[in-house]
């Protein structure tokens, strides 16, 4: 096999391992914390969470400097638990879903909020608001064999030392096993898939020079700077 252009495989570091985690697809859950659904103007009792996707090439490693994106004046942070899939499958039962999880990471689902609002208003897709370059920051993946499966624990994000988002994983509307099971009824999951599981309330605008720190109990701290 030869290629016209050399293919690049986006990859994420794995804690205490020499191998990298090759990223197949990036799936995201929208409005998976009730307080965040409300701040987006939606009643979480009437509208359940849903899925969207980002290209695998949107991945940004921990400690990166991220360029403030073009075509936005309202660039937002969204701290999230990320699930790394190690075993594929479709129509996975909830009771077996955790067998498909390789590990966990801390991610930031960066968003051009103004373009997303405009897309919602006009019934248009979210690619330009969610799927742009550098839109998926992520720490190294901690294998579940080291961390155990995460059901609760503090999730938080600070900008320039000021707390902006703070919640607990136990507040997820769809739990990790429910997300994996539900997603696998739409797509055949593959090893290398990442799932951003949704952000808590407190999303807000970033500006050039901002230092963003965030973490989840038991996982690495994600640090990025906007330039
Ligand atoms: Mn999100």
């Amino acid at each position: 096999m030869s290629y016209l252009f050399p293919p690049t495989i986006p990859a994420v570091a794995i804690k205490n391992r020499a191998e990298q985690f090759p990223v197949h697809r990036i799936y995201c859950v929208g409005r998976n914390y009730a307080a965040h659904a409300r701040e987006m103007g939606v009643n979480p009792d009437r509208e359940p969470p849903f899925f969207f996707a980002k290209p695998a090439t949107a991945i940004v490693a921990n400690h990166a400097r991220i360029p403030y994106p073009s075509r936005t004046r309202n660039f937002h942070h969204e701290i999230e638990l990320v699930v790394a899939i190690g075993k594929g499958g479709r129509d996975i039962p909830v009771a077996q879903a955790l067998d498909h999880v390789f590990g966990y990471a801390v991610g930031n689902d960066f968003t051009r909020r103004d373009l997303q609002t405009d897309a919602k208003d006009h019934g248009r897709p979210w690619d330009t608001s969610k799927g742009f370059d550098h839109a998926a920051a992520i720490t190294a993946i901690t294998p579940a064999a080291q961390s155990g499966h995460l059901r609760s624990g503090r999730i938080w994000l600070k900008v320039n030392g000021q707390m902006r988002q703070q919640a607990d994983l136990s507040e997820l509307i769809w739990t990790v096993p429910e997300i994996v099971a539900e997603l696998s009824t739409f797509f055949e999951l593959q090893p290398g898939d990442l799932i951003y599981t949704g952000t808590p309330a407190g999303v807000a605008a970033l500006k050039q020079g901002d230092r963003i720190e965030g973490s989840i109990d038991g996982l690495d701290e994600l640090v990025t700077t906007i330039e």
Side-chain angles (χ1 to χ4, degrees):
M1 176 80 78
S2 71
Y3 296 98
L4 180 58
F5 306 110
T8 56
I9 302 174
V12 179
I14 303 171
K15 209 155 165 81
N16 303 323
R17 291 271 289 266
E19 301 101 328
Q20 302 259 306
F21 183 91
V23 180
H24 175 249
R25 288 183 182 168
I26 303 174
Y27 299 105
C28 304
V29 184
R31 299 179 203 139
N32 202 18
Y33 290 81
H36 173 63
R38 285 188 207 101
E39 79 179 345
M40 293 285 105
V42 171
N43 180 343
D45 298 326
R46 285 211 299 266
E47 289 192 40
F50 56 90
F51 296 107
F52 59 95
K54 295 178 187 254
T57 48
I59 278 291
V60 180
N62 202 357
H63 304 293
R65 297 179 69 83
I66 294 174
Y68 191 95
S70 62
R71 303 295 294 265
T72 183
R73 291 172 172 227
N74 199 14
F75 177 48
H76 276 205
H77 54 79
E78 294 193 359
I79 194 76
E80 309 199 2
L81 171 69
V82 182
V83 174
I85 296 294
K87 184 177 128 189
R90 59 183 175 196
D91 297 326
I92 298 166
V94 171
Q96 269 121 62
L98 291 179
D99 299 343
H100 295 259
V101 174
F102 169 76
Y104 298 93
V106 178
N108 206 328
D109 166 17
F110 286 118
T111 303
R112 286 164 163 150
R113 192 70 68 200
D114 43 0
L115 297 194
Q116 187 196 33
T117 302
D118 190 60
K120 288 177 187 171
D121 289 348
H122 293 90
R124 290 179 185 150
W126 285 10
D127 302 67
T128 58
S129 59
K130 289 288 197 177
F132 52 96
D133 294 336
H134 315 287
I138 190 167
T139 61
I141 295 165
T142 299
Q146 293 173 38
S147 64
H149 287 289
L150 304 184
R151 294 172 180 81
S152 62
R154 203 165 75 100
I155 176 170
W156 59 270
L157 178 141
K158 290 179 184 175
V159 178
N160 303 324
Q162 298 272 66
M163 191 69 76
R164 292 259 191 104
Q165 295 185 269
Q166 198 172 10
D168 194 281
L169 294 181
S170 61
E171 296 169 47
L172 283 166
I173 295 172
W174 283 348
T175 64
V176 170
E178 288 168 344
I179 291 166
V180 171
E182 179 77 6
L183 185 61
S184 77
T185 68
F186 288 100
F187 304 96
E188 180 169 356
L189 297 186
Q190 300 284 346
D193 286 338
L194 297 174
I195 310 170
Y196 282 62
T197 59
T199 198
V203 299
L206 295 164
K207 60 184 190 311
Q208 285 181 321
D210 280 349
R211 177 185 163 85
I212 309 155
E213 305 159 87
S215 194
I216 293 167
D217 289 349
L219 302 179
D220 281 3
E221 190 169 314
L222 179 61
V223 181
T224 43
T225 308
I226 308 301
E227 65 178 18

